[in-house]
Amino acid sequence: MRYRLLKLFSCISLFLMEGCIEPFSPPEVNSPENYLVVDGFLNVGQDTSRIELSRTQNVNDNAKPTIETGASISVEAESGEKYDFSETRSGLYTLSPKQYSMAGKYRLRVKTQDGKEYLSEYVTVSLTPPIDSVTTKFDSFQDAMVFYVNAHDAHGKTQFYRWKFEETWEYRAAYNSYIEVIDKKYVTRTKDINQCWGSQRSGSILLGTTVKLSSDVIKDLPIFRVPVSTNKLFIKYSVLVRQYGLSRAAFEYWTTLSKTTQGTGSLFDPQPSQVTGNIKNTANNKELVFGYFSASTEETKRLTITPRLGKYATCMPADTFDVVCKPISNYQCGLETTALMLSYAGMRSEFVLGTPQSCADCRVQGGTTDRPKFW
């Protein structure tokens, strides 16, 4: 009896505790401040340098981040040279390849439309060693393809690495659409909308270091995985891995940012903290600015595979062939619908099959029918 009373008391206590829980929203979460975010680096190699400017937003804000347009961006060398960026699209500023001194120091200057000026510290150039290889191994436990990177610096000077990657994969719609309706007439489709290519850039912060190793060698470091369930691996898949050498200060910044943004969510994860880089407001150094400016060369390696993992695209039976025109002489049949026409069929009396756009137009999934140049 005593055990039952204790158990009942425990249940009542838990119920009361649940009832007392109230959501807590600290002032910082709903802060109206929108601080400048600087994302990019000076590419001292043979590729274009890119800097993206945006603004921070509240945690509870579901809208896309505000893009900072109309800014003036330049890179200044400690020796006096100045290189100006151009805004090629909203919030994206680019600088074509130049001849830089690998022994020089550089800093970033940003002037926004509201008249504020931001300046980074001078940074040295980090020379990035080549990527030795990108390899794969199928993980049956995770049902995913894991991608590994291998690299080394024979001089032992790099030690700190960062990677980004760009995925491209081929996919198909469930059905081929051979005809379309133009000016209320059935005509043969001239553009193939069944075969598409999707693409996606990495969003995670991928870092590695060899400081605690006897040699500056990155050996079979897993950097990302592609689950079979994504269906990216069914036909053909290609990834371009980008590698960057970092300074110790830059590595520490990205490590802290990674722990704050990617490692939160449980009681044992690092708690959120304020992470700022090496960029300051010239008139108010207490204003928060997010981002870290660095200068380095860039090394790339592409890997293309055809693992045939996944399944062919399908459509639920309830969503298929929702337009059936028989006979085709019924002029209005199918001409005023949003469905895609698949084909003519029949023997003596022809009819037309139709299906929703999602079943026959691969572009609906966000891809493009333009074949990549490297495909």
Side-chain angles (χ1 to χ4, degrees):
M1 177 64 70
R2 184 179 180 183
Y3 171 76
R4 291 182 178 178
L5 288 175
L6 287 173
K7 185 175 181 181
L8 177 62
F9 177 77
S10 299
C11 292
I12 294 174
S13 300
L14 288 173
F15 174 78
L16 292 176
M17 290 174 64
E18 287 286 341
C20 294
I21 294 176
E22 295 182 1
F24 172 66
S25 181
E28 291 78 4
V29 171
N30 298 309
S31 173
E33 298 292 342
N34 56 338
Y35 300 109
L36 183 67
V37 179
V38 183
D39 182 18
F41 73 106
L42 177 64
N43 192 330
V44 296
Q46 301 301 315
D47 292 319
T48 299
S49 298
R50 294 175 172 83
I51 300 289
E52 292 188 71
L53 299 183
S54 59
R55 292 284 176 174
T56 60
Q57 60 187 129
N58 298 331
V59 174
N60 296 327
D61 192 351
N62 295 323
K64 292 182 178 181
T66 302
I67 303 301
E68 187 70 20
T69 62
S72 173
I73 299 182
S74 61
V75 166
E76 301 170 351
E78 194 174 40
S79 55
E81 294 86 357
K82 180 183 176 183
Y83 308 95
D84 295 322
F85 283 70
S86 300
E87 187 172 10
T88 52
R89 64 172 171 82
S90 296
L92 175 63
Y93 304 81
T94 60
L95 174 64
S96 57
K98 308 289 182 183
Q99 291 293 329
Y100 301 99
S101 170
M102 298 300 176
K105 292 184 177 182
Y106 302 89
R107 68 180 180 183
L108 180 71
R109 186 182 297 273
V110 178
K111 295 181 180 179
T112 55
Q113 277 191 321
D114 59 6
K116 293 184 179 181
E117 184 177 70
Y118 303 87
L119 196 64
S120 76
E121 301 170 357
Y122 278 109
V123 297
T124 57
V125 174
S126 297
L127 298 178
T128 305
I131 300 175
D132 293 331
S133 65
V134 177
T135 60
T136 64
K137 183 178 180 181
F138 183 72
D139 187 331
S140 57
F141 180 76
Q142 297 184 6
D143 196 27
M145 187 70 75
V146 183
F147 289 75
Y148 302 83
V149 66
N150 294 275
H152 77 282
D153 184 356
H155 303 288
K157 295 182 178 180
T158 305
Q159 295 189 316
F160 303 102
Y161 298 81
R162 184 187 178 196
W163 295 275
K164 295 181 180 181
F165 62 89
E166 300 170 13
E167 301 174 277
T168 305
W169 63 95
E170 181 182 342
Y171 67 96
R172 307 288 176 89
Y175 303 108
N176 284 296
S177 177
Y178 299 104
I179 59 177
E180 59 183 326
V181 177
I182 298 180
D183 295 332
K184 293 189 176 181
K185 294 181 180 179
Y186 293 113
V187 297
T188 302
R189 185 178 293 279
T190 58
K191 185 174 183 178
D192 183 5
I193 59 172
N194 174 259
Q195 182 183 30
C196 277
W197 288 267
S199 62
Q200 187 174 352
R201 293 187 177 183
S202 56
S204 302
I205 301 173
L206 309 172
L207 303 169
T209 179
T210 61
V211 168
K212 296 182 179 181
L213 301 180
S214 58
S215 58
D216 197 352
V217 177
I218 298 293
K219 178 65 174 178
D220 291 332
L221 178 68
I223 54 175
F224 71 99
R225 65 186 182 92
V226 180
V228 173
S229 59
T230 62
N231 228 28
K232 295 178 180 179
L233 304 170
F234 181 64
I235 301 177
K236 191 175 180 180
Y237 177 91
S238 182
V239 61
L240 178 66
V241 179
R242 301 180 183 274
Q243 178 170 280
Y244 310 93
L246 299 177
S247 64
R248 179 182 288 273
F251 181 80
E252 291 175 351
Y253 165 80
W254 288 111
T255 299
T256 304
L257 185 62
S258 175
K259 291 179 179 179
T260 301
T261 59
Q262 298 175 187
T264 56
S266 74
L267 180 64
F268 304 101
D269 284 326
Q271 298 305 302
S273 60
Q274 180 176 299
V275 182
T276 56
N278 60 351
I279 307 171
K280 304 291 183 182
N281 184 319
T282 56
N284 179 16
N285 59 12
K286 293 184 178 181
E287 178 184 335
L288 295 180
V289 184
F290 296 90
Y292 195 99
F293 175 71
S294 59
S296 71
T297 55
E298 178 187 65
E299 294 291 338
T300 64
K301 177 76 74 173
R302 178 175 292 281
L303 174 67
T304 302
I305 57 176
T306 53
R308 300 295 181 181
L309 296 173
K311 60 182 180 179
Y312 195 84
T314 58
C315 273
M316 297 298 293
D319 296 332
T320 307
F321 308 138
D322 64 340
V323 177
V324 178
C325 304
K326 183 178 181 179
I328 194 173
S329 58
N330 184 348
Y331 185 77
Q332 294 298 321
C333 184
L335 296 180
E336 296 179 355
T337 180
T338 57
L340 290 183
M341 302 299 107
L342 296 181
S343 63
Y344 293 107
M347 297 292 290
R348 296 180 179 178
S349 59
E350 292 184 325
F351 59 92
V352 177
L353 296 180
T355 189
Q357 190 175 15
S358 59
C359 292
D361 189 348
C362 60
R363 298 170 298 181
V364 173
Q365 300 181 36
T368 175
T369 57
D370 297 329
R371 181 187 294 269
K373 295 180 179 179
F374 56 84
W375 209 256

